[in-house]
């Protein structure tokens, strides 16, 4: 059994590190019984070096050099087996703001919010990618002006009411104009990159809760509710025109005899909805037993049977125009070819049994998948194979959303205020 001993120069006490100990046990031991340093300000010295120092002192020989830091200690203790170095964990002191392991391509950004907040959406001003906004539950709006390195709470008087605790679901910018939607129904608009926000009144007869908004042009936007209503405006939200002729519930009531499995159990709301860059939508039913698609110009949502036994968790668009599909329990599927299809094939992934919740494409070939218990997966070949980023396993949060602003700027949003920033 490999054993390594260390002694403090100021005493005869010894700390023994046995190789079977786990890294977590060693770290806990070091926290409870910290190794003291020499009274003259020196670092930790191996026991053998301490003995050599005593011998040389009696023979009037020069004292051995004092080891100033842990890095020098590791370099000079060459007799230690390389296999023990990861076990010992002697590294330079971590950054004061985080004690969690660094991720290979991501770093955690700590936020000034309550731990229970779930982050829901993020957006940046197109002409100033250092200026952005982050939304979440419990009326959370954060702002950054340094590209996402640091965030501070943003107070918007138009969204502050004593009787409501808003859940801000979606944000989008086009030029200097920006839009925010939330639940209970609220619509905010800015024309000056978010310096000032005004509240736009909404009809009390709006079907469903607003879950998504997309800025499309000057004073123009496209809004979606969880009942499948799609509205467009061209006058700053004072008038809205319906892009579909009926809600999804009405569509399914007409087509329930068309063979859509599970349509009769539809509760009337979406679980998720995602928009492609060219304006197409894919949505998952609340039970996950079928999905729906819509393209500009179509009068109704088109329901589709799922070809997979497990229920659908989420769906979205690949960079090449095809679809990705996540099922409950951690499965990932890709549609064959591009465009809309009901033909999917499974791609093996190492999800450890935790559910995958979202996929975000950084480029045509590179994408990231995120999910429960800090799962992060990466592909560099368009989704054919995925590799798990094990350094993220210790993140104690579910990762709900992957957002890439461009190839160099990306974020992962989770619960408990967890925000990861892409390093590249």
């Amino acid at each position: 059994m490999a054993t390594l001993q260390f002694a403090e120069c100021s005493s005869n006490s010894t700390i023994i590190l046995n190789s079977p100990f786990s890294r977590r046990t060693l770290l806990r031991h070091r926290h409870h019984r910290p190794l003291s340093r020499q009274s003259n300000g020196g670092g930790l010295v191996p026991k053998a070096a301490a003995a050599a120092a005593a011998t040389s002192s009696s023979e009037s020989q020069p004292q051995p050099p004092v080891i100033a830091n842990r890095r020098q200690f590791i370099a000079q203790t060459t007799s230690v087996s390389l296999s023990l170095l990861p076990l010992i964990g002697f590294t330079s002191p971590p950054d004061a703001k985080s004690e969690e392991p660094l991720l290979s391509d991501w770093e955690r950004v700590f936020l000034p919010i309550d731990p229970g907040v779930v982050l829901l959406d993020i957006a940046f001003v197109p002409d100033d990618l250092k200026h952005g906004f982050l939304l979440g539950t419990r009326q959370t709006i954060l702002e950054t002006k340094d590209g996402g390195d640091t965030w501070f709470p943003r107070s918007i008087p138009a969204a502050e009411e004593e009787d409501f605790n808003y859940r801000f679901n979606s944000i989008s910018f086009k030029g200097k104009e920006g839009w925010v939607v939330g639940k209970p129904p609220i619509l905010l608009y800015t024309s000056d990159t978010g310096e000032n926000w005004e509240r736009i009144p909404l009809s009390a007869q709006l079907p469903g809760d607003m879950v998504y908004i997309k800025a499309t042009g000057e004073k123009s936007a496209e809004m979606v509710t969880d009942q499948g209503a799609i509205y467009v405006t061209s006058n700053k939200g004072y008038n809205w025109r319906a892009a579909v002729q009926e809600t999804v519930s009405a569509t399914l009531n007409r087509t329930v005899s068309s063979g859509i499995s599970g349509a009769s159990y539809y509760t009337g709301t979406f679980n998720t909805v995602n928009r492609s860059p060219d304006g197409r939508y894919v949505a998952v039913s609340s039970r996950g037993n079928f999905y729906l698609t819509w393209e500009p110009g179509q009068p109704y949502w088109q329901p589709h049977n799922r070809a997979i036994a497990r229920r659908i968790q989420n769906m979205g668009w690949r960079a090449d125009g095809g679809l990705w599909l996540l099922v409950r329990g951690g499965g990932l599927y890709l549609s064959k070819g591009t465009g809309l299809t009901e033909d999917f094939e499974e791609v093996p992934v190492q999800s450890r049994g935790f559910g995958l919740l979202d996929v975000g494409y950084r480029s045509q070939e590179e994408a990231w998948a995120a999910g429960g218990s800090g799962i992060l997966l990466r592909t560099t070949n368009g989704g054919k194979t995925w590799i798990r980023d094990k350094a993220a396993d210790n993140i104690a949060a579910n990762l709900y959303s992957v957002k890439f602003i461009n190839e160099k700027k990306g974020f992962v949003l989770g619960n408990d205020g967890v925000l990861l920033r892409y390093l590249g």
Side-chain angles (χ1 to χ4, degrees), residues 37 57 130 166 260 289 335 365 371 373 409 422:
R37 299 185 179 274
S57 175
K130 291 185 176 296
Y166 289 105
I260 301 300
N289 44 9
S335 64
E365 297 297 324
S373 192
K409 184 180 291 292
Y422 182 71

Side-chain angles (χ1 to χ4, degrees), residues 337-372:
T338 60
L340 297 177
T341 179
E342 295 183 4
D343 193 6
F344 289 81
E345 58 183 355
E346 185 173 10
V347 179
V349 294
Q350 302 176 34
S351 65
R352 300 185 299 153
F354 293 102
L356 297 176
L357 302 175
D358 194 26
V359 174
Y361 275 77
R362 176 176 172 263
S363 64
Q364 191 84 5
E365 297 297 324
E366 181 179 339
W368 289 82

Side-chain angles (χ1 to χ4, degrees), residues 176-304:
K176 295 183 177 181
E177 297 182 53
W179 304 79
V180 171
V181 295
K183 175 184 178 181
I186 184 172
L187 174 63
L188 303 175
Y189 169 81
T190 180
S191 59
D192 55 7
T193 69
E195 296 299 325
N196 298 283
W197 294 84
E198 62 178 300
R199 185 167 180 172
I200 307 298
L202 292 168
S203 171
Q205 299 180 351
L206 185 73
D209 296 315
M210 295 176 293
V211 294
Y212 180 81
I213 193 163
K214 174 68 176 179
T216 56
E218 183 178 358
K219 298 181 180 181
S220 302
E222 190 173 274
M223 179 175 64
V224 183
T225 74
D226 61 358
Q227 291 189 14
I230 302 177
Y231 293 98
V232 295
T233 183
S234 58
N235 61 356
K236 208 173 73 171
Y238 288 105
N239 297 103
W240 295 87
R241 176 180 59 85
V244 294
Q245 298 182 8
E246 61 188 14
T247 64
V248 173
S249 295
T251 299
L252 292 176
N253 288 335
R254 289 190 303 101
T255 61
V256 69
S257 60
S258 64
I260 301 300
S261 177
S264 59
Y265 299 101
Y266 185 68
T267 60
T269 58
F270 290 153
N271 184 39
T272 64
V273 58
N274 283 294
R275 185 183 189 272
S276 70
D278 60 0
R280 295 176 294 166
Y281 284 93
V282 59
V284 177
S285 67
S286 55
R287 291 176 177 265
N289 44 9
F290 63 95
Y291 66 98
L292 306 100
T293 59
W294 181 83
E295 296 182 1
Q298 291 182 335
Y300 314 108
W301 285 87
Q302 308 298 314
H304 301 267

Side-chain angles (χ1 to χ4, degrees), residues 30-324:
R30 288 168 56 197
H31 284 301
H32 285 293
R33 293 193 58 188
L35 296 175
S36 62
R37 299 185 179 274
Q38 290 178 316
S39 58
N40 63 357
L44 300 176
V45 180
K47 185 176 182 180
T55 303
S56 62
S57 175
S58 62
E59 297 178 359
S60 301
Q61 295 181 2
Q63 295 290 333
V66 176
I67 298 174
N69 55 48
R70 296 176 179 177
R71 183 172 298 175
Q72 293 178 10
F73 167 76
I74 294 175
Q76 295 180 24
T77 314
T78 57
S79 61
V80 179
S81 170
L82 291 177
S83 63
L84 290 178
L85 291 180
L87 182 65
I88 300 169
F90 281 92
T91 59
S92 58
D95 194 310
K97 71 178 181 178
S98 173
E99 295 182 355
E100 298 184 12
L102 291 176
L103 308 181
S104 57
D105 290 284
W106 302 84
E107 71 172 0
R108 181 172 178 181
V109 180
F110 288 86
L111 305 174
I113 56 178
D114 296 333
V117 171
V118 179
L119 303 178
L120 298 175
D121 201 8
I122 189 171
F124 285 78
V125 178
D127 297 332
D128 181 10
L129 292 180
K130 291 185 176 296
H131 188 194
F133 292 84
L134 180 63
L135 307 183
T137 59
R138 302 185 184 180
Q139 209 150 322
T140 298
I141 300 181
L142 301 178
E143 186 175 6
T144 181
K145 293 191 175 180
D146 59 9
D149 292 343
T150 58
W151 298 81
F152 55 89
R154 176 61 192 272
S155 175
I156 300 179
E160 296 176 355
E161 295 186 18
E162 294 182 358
D163 297 334
F164 293 100
N165 189 0
Y166 289 105
R167 171 192 178 101
F168 294 114
N169 290 321
S170 180
I171 182 171
S172 179
F173 277 93
K174 181 78 171 182
K176 295 183 177 181
E177 297 182 53
W179 304 79
V180 171
V181 295
K183 175 184 178 181
I186 184 172
L187 174 63
L188 303 175
Y189 169 81
T190 180
S191 59
D192 55 7
T193 69
E195 296 299 325
N196 298 283
W197 294 84
E198 62 178 300
R199 185 167 180 172
I200 307 298
L202 292 168
S203 171
Q205 299 180 351
L206 185 73
D209 296 315
M210 295 176 293
V211 294
Y212 180 81
I213 193 163
K214 174 68 176 179
T216 56
E218 183 178 358
K219 298 181 180 181
S220 302
E222 190 173 274
M223 179 175 64
V224 183
T225 74
D226 61 358
Q227 291 189 14
I230 302 177
Y231 293 98
V232 295
T233 183
S234 58
N235 61 356
K236 208 173 73 171
Y238 288 105
N239 297 103
W240 295 87
R241 176 180 59 85
V244 294
Q245 298 182 8
E246 61 188 14
T247 64
V248 173
S249 295
T251 299
L252 292 176
N253 288 335
R254 289 190 303 101
T255 61
V256 69
S257 60
S258 64
I260 301 300
S261 177
S264 59
Y265 299 101
Y266 185 68
T267 60
T269 58
F270 290 153
N271 184 39
T272 64
V273 58
N274 283 294
R275 185 183 189 272
S276 70
D278 60 0
R280 295 176 294 166
Y281 284 93
V282 59
V284 177
S285 67
S286 55
R287 291 176 177 265
N289 44 9
F290 63 95
Y291 66 98
L292 306 100
T293 59
W294 181 83
E295 296 182 1
Q298 291 182 335
Y300 314 108
W301 285 87
Q302 308 298 314
H304 301 267
N305 277 314
R306 74 181 194 277
I308 300 113
R310 286 183 287 176
R311 293 179 183 270
I312 305 171
Q313 179 69 43
N314 195 5
M315 293 182 68
W317 303 92
R318 303 199 305 264
D320 63 2
L323 288 167
W324 54 261

Side-chain angles (χ1 to χ4, degrees), residues 353-399:
F354 293 102
L356 297 176
L357 302 175
D358 194 26
V359 174
Y361 275 77
R362 176 176 172 263
S363 64
Q364 191 84 5
E365 297 297 324
E366 181 179 339
W368 289 82
S373 192
I375 284 289
L376 271 179
L377 304 174
R378 179 192 184 193
T379 179
T380 56
N381 54 17
K384 296 177 183 178
T385 58
W386 296 77
I387 299 175
R388 180 163 60 92
D389 190 336
K390 297 181 180 180
D393 292 350
N394 293 329
I395 297 178
N398 294 327
L399 306 178

